[in-house]
Every structure is written in C-alpha cells, then in structure tokens.
Amino acid sequence: MVVARWDAVVFDLDGTLVDTAPDLHAHLNEMLADLGRPGFALGDVRPMIGDGARALLRRGLEASGGMPAGVDLEALFAEFLRRYTARPLRFGATFDGVEATLEILARAGAKLGVCTNKPQAPTDRLLSALGLARHFAVVIGGDSLTVRKPDPGHLLAVLDRLGTRPERAVLVGDSANDVAAAAATGLPCVLVSFGYTQTPAHELGAARVIDQMCELPAALASLHP
C-alpha cells in the first residue's frame, strides 16, 4: 500500500494534473493580439509553460518580437493575471486517470498537496472548477511565499502544512524544476512524460517516470524511503 511507505504525495499542477496549456495559449494570444502581434500555435506555447504566468508572458513577448518598448511588463502581467484568473478553464481538462488516482491515494491514507508556480488565485479557482480541490489538504501557489520552485522552501512549506517529514513524502511533477526542488528537499520525484518540458522527462533524473497517471500508485510502491 502507498501509505506503508509514504505519508504524503505532493503534486505539481500544470502539465501534471491538468492540461492548462490550451487556456494559457488562448490568453497569451489574446494579449499579443492587443499589442498588434501574431499569436502562437498551441504546440509552441507548451514548452513556454512551467515557471509561472509572468515567465510565460515574458517568453511570449520575447518570441514574438522582443520586449515592447515603453511598455510596463508588470502592468501587462497584472492584466494577463486578471484575465486568466477570471477565466482559467475554457479549454483545459484534467489528464486521463487523475481523479481515479487521487481517490486511490486518499483511500490508501496518503495526504495530498499541490506545489505550483501558478499564482494562488487562478490555482484555487481552477482546482475548484475541475472538482479537484476536495482532494488536497494544502495548496500553495507561486505567489504565496517569498520563494517558489525550484527553491526547496516552496516544497518544504507544503510539507510543513501537511505535517509530513520530507523523508516520508514524494513529489510528482513534469519538469526540471520539480526534480530540482525534490532533490534539494531530500525526497524522490516521479515525473509524468506528458507534461510541459523541452527536455524529455526520462532525461531529467527523476526517480521514476510514468506515461499515465494511473501508473502512479505502482511507481510509488516501487520506491523506498
């Protein structure tokens, strides 16, 4: 059983639990259109995701012609965040097997948390809209602390609020940020192969890589504290 080895499982959000790329893609293209710039194809936006909305907007601007002269990036980010928070779920959805897997882990006695670089407000709204919020005892977004992944302080804050020691927890994510945060915190990382990363998940040094979320319980059972 999962609970025999691990007291808690902490998840990344974008690219791990939820395919948020379609909505982020739509909002980014709308912002670019307001600036008179062409938008991107969805496949071009997926690798830009992973370090929070500010980084996504910056990458989109840089890739579409560079940072606009005389434009306040923070003001643009505030507008992007306002729009995204208001409508975080138009096109996205949970990845296959997510809900069933969360139920399995909960029945096994594992405490569940979310550690994401997405700001707190759209994170909470997205989880609620998808019916996932009920599964998580702790959710900490990227703007809730003075640090965020890959800084270990972000993950440690989640574990502290879960009441779990690092040696009794696992992080599930999709990127190098997740592997680095887990390593710095002293816990194993399981990566999904279907997330948002330019470097293939199998090359990032995770303890395990899974191709479907339904494989997670078996992957956890194969790990040892």
Side-chain angles (χ1 to χ4, degrees):
M1 292 181 62
V2 175
V3 71
R5 293 190 175 97
W6 309 108
D7 294 337
V9 183
V10 180
F11 291 86
D12 173 55
L13 181 60
D14 296 55
T16 301
L17 293 172
V18 184
D19 187 9
T20 54
D23 286 295
L24 291 167
H25 167 249
H27 283 288
L28 177 61
N29 278 354
E30 288 163 8
M31 291 290 293
L32 293 175
D34 289 348
L35 295 170
R37 297 188 177 191
F40 295 100
L42 177 57
D44 294 327
V45 172
R46 288 184 184 275
M48 298 182 189
I49 301 170
D51 296 306
R54 182 182 280 101
L56 171 64
L57 180 59
R58 185 182 68 251
R59 290 166 183 161
L61 291 169
E62 290 172 347
S64 65
M67 298 300 295
V71 173
D72 184 347
L73 179 60
E74 286 306 304
L76 281 180
F77 169 67
E79 177 60 15
F80 179 91
L81 187 58
R82 183 192 69 78
R83 295 183 186 187
Y84 182 66
T85 300
R87 301 182 72 191
L89 187 65
R90 288 182 285 172
F91 311 110
T94 55
F95 289 107
D96 289 345
V98 164
E99 185 103 27
T101 299
L102 295 176
E103 295 280 5
I104 289 169
L105 297 180
R107 286 197 299 270
K111 293 178 285 188
L112 306 179
V114 171
C115 182
T116 175
N117 283 342
K118 183 188 291 296
Q120 190 74 45
T123 292
D124 290 340
R125 192 157 188 170
L126 181 65
L127 290 173
S128 178
L130 290 167
L132 296 179
R134 63 188 178 87
H135 294 289
F136 299 107
V138 176
V139 177
I140 301 183
D143 61 349
S144 295
L145 306 170
T146 58
V147 296
R148 61 181 184 175
K149 294 184 298 183
D151 191 295
H154 191 175
L155 180 54
L156 284 169
V158 175
L159 296 177
D160 181 64
R161 295 184 194 182
L162 286 173
T164 302
R165 302 189 310 275
E167 62 268 23
R168 298 290 299 165
V170 179
L171 177 64
V172 182
D174 71 325
S175 72
N177 273 348
D178 297 308
V179 175
T185 312
L187 54 101
C189 182
V190 176
L191 287 185
V192 300
S193 64
F194 47 79
Y196 309 146
T197 172
Q198 291 180 311
T199 303
H202 289 275
E203 299 177 13
L204 293 176
R208 297 287 187 276
V209 177
I210 58 175
D211 297 319
Q212 301 179 68
M213 189 56 74
C214 63
E215 298 171 6
L216 181 60
L220 294 175
S222 74
L223 293 171
H224 297 277

